Every structure is written in C-alpha cells, then in structure tokens.
Amino acid sequence: MDGIPLREQPSPERVHVPREALARIGAAYEDGRYLDAWALARPFGPLAAWRGGEALVLAGRLAQRLGNTRLGGRLHLRALREHPESPAAWAWGLRTVGWRLGPYAALETARRRPPPAETVEVVSFRAEIAVELRDFDEAERLLARARALAPDDPWIPVLAALALQEADAYEEALAQADRALAGRAWYRPAVDARADLLIVLGRDDEALALLEEAMARLQAPSVATELVALQVEHGRYDAADATLDRLEELTPLRDRQLAAWIAAHRSDTAYHRGELSRAVALARRAGASGVAFYERLAERLAIAEAPARVELPVPWVRQHRLTCAPATMTALVRHFGAAARHLEIAEAICYDGTPDHAQRTWAVRQGLVVREFTVTWEAATALLDRGVPFALTTVDPGNAHMQAVVGYDRARRTLLLRDPYFRYLGEIVGDAGLADYAASGPKGLVLLPAAEAGRLDGLDLPEAALHDVYHRVQAALVAHDRAGAAAAAAELRAAAPGHRLALQADRSIASYDADEPARLRATEALLALFPDDVNLRLSKQASLADLGRRDERIAWLRAECARAGHPLLRLALAEVLRLDARAQPEALRIALASARGRNAGGYHTLGHVLWDRGEREPALLAYRAAACLERTDERFADSYFLAARLAGRAEEAVAFLRDRFERQGRKSGGPAVTLFDALDLLDRRREALEVLDRAIAWRPADGPLLLFAAR
C-alpha cells in the first residue's frame, strides 16, 4: 500500500520569524486572542511565507482560527514534510491527513511514518483518532499516557470530554470540561466543549450566558458560530446579526465556505424579520457559494408575499447512538404532557437501530393512538394546523433516520424538523425533499395520547390503511406467524396491486423464508418503480451474490457504478473484486476511498483487501476500526478477532469482545455467541461456557441463543 502523498502548492519567498516574536504570537493564540495574534503576525508577511517547524505549525493554527482551514492544512503538511524532527509538525500534519483523507489514512501514515518522539501532542493526536473511530479503550489508554506526560495540560480533559460525549456520557463529559476550565480559565477549546454539552443537556440558558461572556473575553470564531445558531433557535435575530458582524471581524482570512455560512444565516435572520428582499439577496449569495438549499430557497422566496409559519413547541430530546426513533417518540409524547423516557423506550425496542414494527407495537402497548401514513405536503400541513406533530422517517443509502416534523413555512415551502441529534431546527423542502424519499414513502408516524385522539377526526391520511396492513405483515413475521403474514400480504396485493408496500411485504416474506429468488423478484419489481434507489440496488447485488451469480453481479455493479456510482455500490464492487488477484489494485482504491469517513463497512472491506494482499498490520487497524464503529455487528467483531489471533494479538481482541458482551449482552445474544466462539477457538472452553450460562440467564427466551447453546 502506497504512503499518503504530502503535497503543497508553490509558496512565496520564505520568511524567518524571530523566536521572541513567535513566543508573543503564541501567547496571544493560547489566550484565545486570535485577532491580537494576527496583528502581531502581520509584520512578518503572509503566513504562507513563514519557515521553520515551530513557525509553520503556529501559522497553520492561526490561519484555521482566522477562518481559512485549507490554508492552515497546507501549512501543516509543509511543516510535516520539511521538519520531520518536530513532534508538533508530525501531530498537526497528521491531523490534516485525517481531515482530508479520513482517520484510517492518518493511522496508516502514522504507522509508516512514526513520530520523532513521544510527546503530549503526539499522544493526544493518537487519542483524537481513537475517539473519532469510537475506540474508547484505546482512547482511555492514550489519555492516561498523555496525563502522565503533561498533568496540567488543559487539552487532555477537553479530549476526555469529547470521548465521553461520543460515548453518550454527557454529565461525565461536562465534568471533564469543567476540570479543564478550572485549570485554565476561559480556555477556548474547553469553552466550546462546555457550551456544546450544556446544549446537549438541554441547558440552553446556561449555554447562552457562557457564550455571550466568552464573546466579550475571547476573539474566537467558534464561539461566535455556536452563539449565532443558538440565538436564531431562540428567536433572537437582532442579537444573531450582531454576532455575525463580530464573526466577520474575527475571520479576516475566511474562506468561501465560511462566507457562505454567514450569508445563509444572515438570510435566515432577515427572513424572520420580514425583510424578504434582503433574505432573497443573501440566499442567492449563499447559493452562489455552493449551498444548494439556499439557491433553491432564493427562487421560492422571490415569489413569496409574506412569511407564513406554523411551529409547534415540541421539546428536543437528544438521542444516543442509534436511538433516533426512541428519542423522537419521547419528544412527541412529551409534547402532549404525557410521561416518556427516551432510554427506557430504547431499552425496550432498540438494538442496532429500531425496527419499524417495534415502534408501533410499543406505542400501542402504551395505550397511544397510532397512525402510520405516507407523508405529503398537504397531509403534513393539515396535521400541523390541528396541533399534531409527527415523526418522519427518511431512508438514505445504508441507513434510516427518524425526526419530528414540528411545523411548516408556506413561503419557504419547507417542513420544520426537530432532529434528535442536532439541537437546532432543520428544514426539508416540502415537495422535492419528500419526493427524494418516495421509495420509502416517506413514512410518517402520529403518536397521540387517547385524550387527544379527536384531533384526527375527519382527517384521511394518505395510505394509512395500507400501512396498517403492512404492519400486520411485519408483526406476524416477528411472531413467526408465517400464515398470518401471507394472509396480510395477500390483502395488500388485492387492495393495491403493484404498490410499493405490497411489494415490500412480498420481499419481507421472501427474506423470512430465505427464498432468495423470490426476494430478488420483489426487489426488481420495486426497482422498476424506483430505479435510482441505492438501497434497492444494493439489495439486488446482494441477492445475486447469494445466488452465486458472480459474473452477472460484477457486470451489473460495473454498469451501475458507471451510471451513477454511489460509494456504497462501489464498495460492493470492491468486495467482489477483492477475490480476484488481478483486480485487487482497483478494489484497494475503492476501499480506501470508502474508509475516509466513519463507514464501518468500508473499513471492513478494506481490512479484507489488505489481508488478502498480505498487509496484516494495516488490515488489523481496519478490522478494529470497523468493529469499534459498529459494535452491534457480529461480522465486524468476528473478523477483528480472527485477524488479531493470526497476528498474535488475540488477547486484546478477546478483551474487546468481552467488553462488548458486558455492555450489550442483555440486549442481544450475538455478543455472547461471538465471544464464545473466540474463547472456544483458543481452547478456553470453560470460560466460553461461563459466558453462555450468563447470556442465557440474561436472555432466557432468546430462541437463537438457546438453539446455539443446544448445538
């Protein structure tokens, strides 16, 4: 595997900055006085002209704080290349590799290009990558090492706070942010972390007070951007405009992306004050800088007469990882004053996401009035006019997400969304946006306490009757009532022949029966209705794989990738190509591109490709990343263990599997089975049987687990 190229653009003649000047600039930077640091730096010419490892690192950091992340990254890559003896240049250069090419590229570059020394900057960088990959055990080990190297460094507790926040331990994370601030008052990264955590915890007033005081004490664009978003959320539009003014002052080097962000938020504040012409002009400016939503918004606002908006006061409930449905359901129920606890719902219905049928089944058992329907602009506005918010499920390639629809805006022609992950109100275009999800409806879900059922009187929601029958299919299959599912599916076919829900019901039954030819037929019928849907195309290639039609699968995937190559389709192509040694270079290129973000499947495929090529150490990095990113996927955990065993590192993999079992074994039998198999393969049968006994005690009615134990 080739190393990561570290290139730079031509730069002006190099300038030496005296050490005492660097010290003054650095002191202002560390105090969060970035404009003051800029004033001290300007006499020494453009930042791109500076030379020396220490100077380039500081110049890059300052450029990023002044609004130009690309310039900062270029300077850090130059520092890494020109000053390999500098641990700071190594850490900041590798951060840029991670930002541009993803965390795996940073890890692999670090493996091939070890740091010149183990300093707190080097160790904390490694901890940041571990946090990004959700490798919490490795992050804690590295944080402990960083504390030993620099006990008073305030960045270490901030990084610990970020790790705890990623693990959904918000109160513990807040305590770490407070610890950092106790060590250094108004330390900018700690201020950012504390404000974000206060918002996550629903303590907006405290966050506003903190950010407003920080604006007076610091010269930090990150504080300003967070404050603007919170001010807009709370309807403080004049204050938001003043903060945007200050943000422009704080970012003399701002790039096109930041300029577009400012224009978009100015457009929003102008709109909310009724200044339509100004809102249109600013939306066009944001659109011209590449923000497509605002480009289309400008067209709609240009013909609008006046703002017309309905917004219901639905509370925000922060989801944990993979609990968007329980969090959204909690918010909807609480809106009507009923009691609901997000984590209790998640415990009851959620593991590796939330199945559709489980949402409705839980709600009915709680005595709630439930309606599932296909969301249209007309249906959405009719519900909202009656004071009824609802859940919207959007199905994107490889994942689905639920959020609450809490209002609409006729002039903008948008539905207002309360997303359980992001604190601030979002929008989806009411026509084109919904049409993008036609392959899945998109589906809406109304949850009402029985006393509020009258709000639905006389309202005929689109395809609600079909959704009722489709739910019966799903519920019957979960109960292993194959005959009941078939009868409900036949009812769907008779009521709506060729409808997507009827075809999806047939597909579900085929999956239950493990009848791959029937599943493929249903998938192709759905593709005839929705030929561009990526999930259906992925399903077709998976069926071709299960049916052993390899050549047909490759030809079909190549044609699909050439037509509109979604990354997940390219990843599927890499998975099949890796088995052919002649095509491994192509498979490697695809897999590396797929592993740029946090796509666990991309890391898993990359691990396979590298392992097949004999590159065991980088393959093990990729396998562990996949297992950490998706801790509920047994395939990823098993692959990591098998690779670690062959690499002589079985014990660290067993520790990982045991931790998964302790954390997740009450929700699923899968972690117990994977740990049992690993221990059994290591001839540790007594330990394996103890794991199985504990798992059965936790899940005495788990049929697959009991069958495994019987075997």
Side-chain angles (χ1 to χ4, degrees):
M1 177 179 167
D2 295 334
I4 304 298
L6 303 174
R7 301 171 181 167
E8 69 160 346
Q9 296 179 353
S11 60
E13 185 177 348
R14 304 296 170 80
V15 175
H16 171 71
V17 183
R19 179 167 295 278
E20 58 274 15
L22 286 176
R24 291 194 300 272
I25 298 166
Y29 181 98
E30 292 301 326
D31 285 344
R33 296 182 290 109
Y34 304 122
L35 281 183
D36 292 348
W38 174 234
L40 292 169
R42 291 185 70 181
F44 301 99
L47 296 176
W50 290 13
R51 61 183 171 90
E54 181 184 355
L56 284 171
V57 168
L58 180 56
R61 297 176 71 188
L62 184 56
Q64 290 169 345
R65 290 296 136 209
L66 296 174
N68 198 318
T69 55
R70 291 188 63 82
L71 172 60
R74 288 200 303 271
L75 295 176
H76 287 151
L77 288 178
R78 202 178 99 202
L80 173 61
R81 188 183 62 259
E82 294 179 358
H83 299 279
E85 77 288 350
S86 167
W90 184 92
W92 283 97
L94 267 290
R95 277 190 182 91
T96 299
V97 172
W99 290 335
R100 292 187 179 184
L101 301 180
Y104 176 81
L107 279 178
E108 178 57 8
T109 305
R111 187 185 71 83
R112 291 178 172 273
R113 190 174 182 144
E118 186 185 60
T119 65
V120 66
E121 287 174 303
V122 166
V123 176
S124 63
F125 160 74
R126 291 187 183 277
E128 289 173 44
I129 295 295
V131 171
E132 188 169 357
L133 293 174
R134 296 180 59 80
D135 191 343
F136 300 124
D137 294 337
E138 178 70 358
E140 182 50 46
R141 183 188 72 79
L142 290 165
L143 284 168
R145 177 60 182 152
R147 292 186 194 100
L149 290 169
D152 298 325
D153 188 335
W155 173 239
I156 306 307
V158 171
L159 189 50
L162 297 177
L164 288 163
Q165 182 172 355
E166 185 68 34
D168 301 319
Y170 304 132
E171 292 287 357
E172 295 93 327
L174 184 62
Q176 287 293 326
D178 287 341
R179 177 184 169 192
L181 288 169
R184 184 186 295 180
W186 299 103
Y187 178 54
R188 194 271 311 163
V191 170
D192 288 343
R194 188 172 203 278
D196 190 44
L197 285 160
L198 288 172
I199 293 167
V200 165
L201 290 165
R203 294 158 61 178
D204 285 12
D205 289 344
E206 292 177 66
L208 278 165
L210 173 65
L211 292 168
E212 286 167 353
E213 187 171 357
M215 284 294 293
R217 292 175 175 269
L218 304 175
Q219 299 165 350
S222 59
V223 171
T225 54
E226 187 77 83
L227 180 57
V228 165
L230 199 54
Q231 287 168 331
V232 170
E233 178 70 21
H234 288 273
R236 302 181 182 182
Y237 306 122
D238 291 340
D241 260 347
T243 305
L244 288 167
D245 290 341
R246 180 58 174 160
L247 177 59
E248 289 186 328
E249 295 172 1
L250 294 173
T251 54
L253 301 183
R254 62 182 167 278
D255 54 24
R256 182 181 181 186
Q257 183 178 4
L258 179 56
W261 188 92
I262 292 172
H265 281 74
R266 286 199 186 280
S267 175
D268 289 343
T269 58
Y271 174 78
H272 288 303
R273 287 198 300 264
E275 301 169 4
L276 278 181
S277 60
R278 184 165 185 265
V280 170
L282 288 162
R284 284 177 176 153
R285 186 186 303 175
S289 296
V291 186
F293 174 84
Y294 280 88
E295 183 177 10
R296 294 190 294 268
L297 178 63
E299 297 172 3
R300 295 192 296 275
L301 291 182
I303 59 174
E305 295 181 0
R309 192 177 181 95
V310 170
E311 183 178 338
L312 303 178
V314 176
W316 183 64
V317 177
R318 167 71 175 215
Q319 73 169 90
H320 286 195
R321 183 165 172 79
L322 302 178
T323 66
C324 61
T328 297
M329 294 163 69
T330 299
L332 293 174
V333 173
R334 286 182 182 173
H335 172 68
F336 290 103
R341 294 181 181 274
H342 155 224
L343 294 181
E344 289 180 3
I345 300 175
E347 185 70 25
I349 67 175
C350 197
Y351 182 75
D352 192 22
T354 309
D356 281 353
H357 67 83
Q359 302 161 14
R360 181 166 180 166
T361 299
W362 175 88
V364 170
R365 288 175 179 168
Q366 306 308 308
L368 297 170
V369 175
V370 182
R371 294 288 186 276
E372 289 179 302
F373 65 102
T374 299
V375 180
T376 63
W377 171 261
E378 292 74 19
T381 55
L383 282 167
L384 294 162
D385 284 339
R386 293 173 178 229
V388 180
F390 60 91
L392 170 70
T393 299
T394 51
V395 180
D396 289 299
N399 70 84
H401 187 53
M402 179 184 279
Q403 50 199 313
V405 180
V406 302
Y408 67 87
D409 192 307
R410 288 197 184 277
R412 296 165 76 94
R413 192 74 175 180
T414 57
L415 298 177
L416 309 181
L417 305 176
R418 181 64 73 198
D419 190 299
Y421 192 79
F422 297 104
R423 172 64 183 89
Y424 307 115
L425 205 63
E427 293 177 281
I428 184 173
V429 179
D431 299 310
L434 295 175
D436 288 342
Y437 296 101
S440 59
K443 190 186 79 171
L445 174 67
V446 171
L447 300 177
L448 288 175
E452 303 287 345
R455 293 176 183 265
L456 300 179
D457 287 350
L459 185 60
D460 185 18
L461 294 172
E463 301 183 337
L466 297 181
H467 280 278
D468 291 345
V469 182
Y470 181 72
H471 174 72
R472 282 166 42 205
V473 174
Q474 300 299 318
L477 291 176
V478 170
H480 302 292
D481 179 6
R482 171 64 170 72
E491 186 178 335
L492 260 179
R493 285 194 297 273
H499 191 277
R500 63 177 180 82
L501 288 175
L503 295 171
Q504 286 172 359
D506 290 341
R507 194 158 161 260
S508 296
I509 292 174
S511 296
Y512 180 86
D513 292 342
D515 184 348
E516 203 58 51
R519 176 179 166 83
L520 179 57
R521 286 194 298 273
T523 299
E524 289 180 326
L526 283 164
L527 275 169
L529 297 176
F530 310 104
D532 294 327
D533 186 76
V534 174
N535 287 320
L536 291 173
R537 290 147 73 194
L538 288 168
S539 179
K540 176 173 178 174
Q541 68 85 28
S543 291
L544 293 174
D546 288 342
L547 291 169
R549 292 154 62 175
R550 182 176 184 276
D551 291 344
E552 182 182 350
R553 181 190 182 199
I554 292 175
W556 188 82
L557 278 170
R558 284 201 181 280
E560 289 297 297
C561 289
R563 181 170 73 92
H566 189 278
L568 291 180
L569 288 168
R570 290 196 291 269
L571 184 60
L573 178 61
E575 181 65 29
V576 65
L577 289 179
R578 74 178 180 85
L579 301 176
D580 183 343
R582 296 167 300 177
Q584 278 190 352
E586 181 183 1
L588 179 60
R589 287 194 299 272
I590 297 171
L592 282 170
S594 298
R596 287 193 174 190
R598 302 176 86 182
N599 179 353
Y603 285 96
H604 191 238
T605 298
L606 178 60
H608 285 336
V609 174
L610 293 169
W611 193 270
D612 293 342
R613 290 165 57 91
E615 300 185 43
R616 300 298 174 87
E617 190 63 27
L620 191 58
L621 286 176
Y623 282 133
R624 182 174 176 101
C628 289
L629 285 168
E630 290 293 349
R631 290 174 177 255
T632 56
D633 194 308
E634 301 308 318
R635 297 172 303 145
F636 299 164
D638 185 58
S639 293
Y640 168 53
F641 167 75
L642 293 174
R645 174 175 172 266
L646 292 173
R649 292 163 62 177
E651 285 307 313
E652 69 180 52
V654 167
F656 175 83
L657 297 181
R658 195 177 293 280
D659 181 69
R660 287 177 78 247
F661 170 65
E662 296 293 341
R663 293 175 184 271
Q664 300 163 203
R666 290 173 175 81
K667 292 185 176 183
S668 170
V673 171
T674 301
L675 178 57
F676 179 98
D677 285 341
L679 292 169
D680 192 36
L681 197 59
L682 296 172
D683 295 324
R684 292 158 63 174
R685 176 56 68 94
R686 182 183 297 277
E687 290 179 64
L689 290 172
E690 289 173 355
V691 167
L692 201 54
D693 286 343
R694 290 180 64 200
I696 293 171
W698 286 342
R699 300 180 59 80
D702 187 326
L705 178 64
L706 294 174
L707 286 174
F708 176 83
R711 285 195 298 270

